[in-house]
Amino acid sequence: QKEVEQNSGPLSVPEGAIASLNCTYSDRGSQSFFWYRQYSGKSPELIMFIYSNGDKEDGRFTAQLNKASQYVSLLIRDSQPSDSATYLCAVKGSSASKIIFGSGTRLSIRP
Amino acid sequence: ETGVTQTPRHLVMGMTNKKSLKCEQHLGHNAMYWYKQSAKKPLELMFVYNFKEQTENNSVPSRFSPECPNSSHLFLHLHTLQPEDSALYLCASSQLRDTITGELFFGEGSRLTVL
């Protein structure tokens, strides 16, 4: 079992709709969870982090965490063409210095 | 300069060459990382340094040799690499002490091609 799993996509969403990205993880001792966005040819940039169960909202982005189910998701409301990118889920596990990434979900927003 | 700076941005080397990648962070963080990103594979953690001490070595072959002289600088020394080592090498930094999150801040990466 992979430590952090994501559907590789591509996920195609019409402009203005909600994009839903999902991630599961295997380490029950995981502490913090991150969503990074990576444009083609660029390095990852942090969009959101979450460490408590429930929802966390920041603008058009909402991160959701369910530690019992070992599941974290990212919702993007009012999707824009500029949201087209690969979204990486990352998990900080029991080892404080170790952050493990999923393989990423490629999101395409169609006009 | 701000953020995390990596040099060179692009590097082409033969299998018998020796080269080094350099990373510098201007964020005052206490931890630095090397990740490898290959096509269609997840970001692979290679090494972690916390206050200049190596805390993670993710079973990386000895042809990759990291060096962290202080908490702002990180090097990756390369020698006798293989073509499958061609990838984007990303440096990152974070603040680990007293933070639950410790999110990573990445440099722009060094694109390595091994011929």
Side-chain angles (χ1 to χ4, degrees), chain A residues 37-44, chain B residues 9 37 88 90 107-108 111:
Chain A
R37 177 176 61 200
Q38 187 173 24
Y39 292 114
S40 180
K42 299 291 187 181
S43 58
Chain B
R9 295 290 308 279
Q37 188 171 39
L88 180 67
L90 289 161
E108 291 297 314
R111 173 71 62 185

Side-chain angles (χ1 to χ4, degrees), chain B residues 10-24:
Chain B
H10 300 274
L11 178 63
V12 179
M13 59 187 289
M15 288 192 285
T16 58
N17 292 158
K18 288 185 181 181
K19 297 286 184 183
S20 296
L21 306 181
K22 179 184 175 183
C23 177
E24 183 174 359

Side-chain angles (χ1 to χ4, degrees), chain B residues 29-81:
Chain B
H29 289 162
N30 56 16
M32 296 188 76
Y33 307 71
W34 281 116
Y35 280 87
K36 174 184 178 183
Q37 188 171 39
S38 306
K40 301 190 192 303
K41 292 177 73 174
L43 274 165
E44 299 172 55
L45 178 64
M46 300 177 73
F47 301 104
V48 182
Y49 279 83
N50 190 356
F51 288 108
K52 303 188 299 178
E53 299 297 322
Q54 189 180 120
T55 57
E56 297 282 348
N57 178 337
N58 214 29
S59 303
V60 180
S62 60
R63 57 186 184 269
F64 294 92
S65 174
E67 179 190 359
C68 188
N70 55 61
S71 56
S72 298
H73 294 85
L74 184 64
F75 296 89
L76 188 62
H77 303 300
L78 316 169
H79 62 99
T80 59
L81 294 191

Side-chain angles (χ1 to χ4, degrees), chain A residues 31-32 34 36 38 41-46 49 51 88 92 95-103, chain B residues 33 35 37 41-43 45 48 55-56 58 88 90 96 99-108:
Chain A
Q31 304 171 4
S32 305
F34 309 88
Y36 285 82
Q38 187 173 24
K42 299 291 187 181
S43 58
E45 56 179 330
L46 182 71
F49 66 84
Y51 54 85
L88 305 172
K92 184 160 78 170
S95 166
S97 60
K98 196 168 180 178
I99 297 180
I100 304 299
F101 284 79
S103 56
Chain B
Y33 307 71
Y35 280 87
Q37 188 171 39
K41 292 177 73 174
L43 274 165
L45 178 64
V48 182
T55 57
E56 297 282 348
N58 214 29
L88 180 67
L90 289 161
L96 290 180
T99 64
I100 191 170
T101 52
E103 62 266 31
L104 297 171
F105 293 81
F106 285 91
E108 291 297 314

